[in-house]
Amino acid sequence: MINRVIENFQKVSQAIEKANEKFLLEQSKSSSSRPQIVAVSKGTEASEIIPLIEHGHYIFGENRIQEAKQKWAEIKNQISDKAENLELHFIGYLQSNKAKEAIELFDVIESVDRPKLAKTIAKELEKTQKKIDLFIQVNTGEEEQKSGIMPNEADDFIDLCVKELKLPIKGVMCIPPVDDDSSLHFALLKKIGQKHGLPLLSMGMTNDYELAATMGATHVRIGRAIFK
Ligand SMILES: *Cc1c(COP(=O)(O)O)cnc(C)c1O
């Protein structure tokens, strides 16, 4: 019997492949890599995650340091031979006093969104050999309750991160407002990334990942569609 999570994952992969073909056609490109799936495993237990790793998927996203620390120690223990393939993304709000732990635990932090945090990460990276990639989270919908740098402050903030702090910023990330047409937010995010020569675009979740794939996302973060 095939595992439900793997079945869901395969459906999502196929939908992304289709959407990406459309994107490539519109761009008159013949080949380009597909968006990578960050399987968002927050709130999902180790026993549900391990089969997907055994199936050969290694990129996962978490939004809480405490939860991730315990769960991924357990998972790494059980899949020891494959643990080095894992690529763990932190996608939640990061408190500055948790930056050190986040760097130890994760390979990518997608939620760099304010000067204090950026400066703390820079200090911590000076003290470690750990290699990490970073994304700037942009609050494209300018929502009070959401994290992310405001669009009108993004240029200065990215310059601070890249030029002054020399952080390994590789891309930009956004979470569009639930009731908006995501395409406007994806387009704005893409424009900000391009302006600063940042190649990676983390956009698209369960509700809008196919749209994101047709708009050039390099990473889609998918939780419910895989683990539900
Ligand atoms: C939970 C979460 C996701 C995944 O959302 P789904 O709708 O379950 O696909 C993606 N990105 C972030 C930042 C999240 O917190």
Side-chain angles (χ1 to χ4, degrees), residues 117-179:
L117 175 62
K119 285 172 191 166
T120 307
I121 291 174
K123 262 193 216 133
E124 293 299 337
L125 285 177
E126 274 177 19
K127 298 189 239 165
T128 174
Q129 299 292 314
K130 176 81 188 276
K131 290 276 168 276
I132 193 160
D133 286 336
L134 303 173
F135 287 65
I136 303 279
Q137 182 178 351
V138 183
N139 188 352
T140 55
E142 302 181 38
E143 294 174 284
E144 288 283 340
Q145 78 284 10
K146 243 179 215 160
S147 40
I149 190 83
M150 289 293 173
N152 66 343
E153 296 169 358
D155 287 340
D156 285 348
F157 181 58
I158 295 171
D159 281 343
L160 168 76
C161 290
V162 174
K163 293 179 182 156
E164 274 183 55
L165 300 173
K166 315 266 188 254
L167 289 176
I169 307 286
K170 301 292 162 59
V172 285
M173 178 270 239
C174 76
I175 309 169
V178 274
D179 297 326

Side-chain angles (χ1 to χ4, degrees), residues 25 28 48 73 116 130 138 189:
L25 209 63
S28 340
E48 297 266 293
K116 185 181 176 205
K130 176 81 188 276
V138 183
L189 188 74

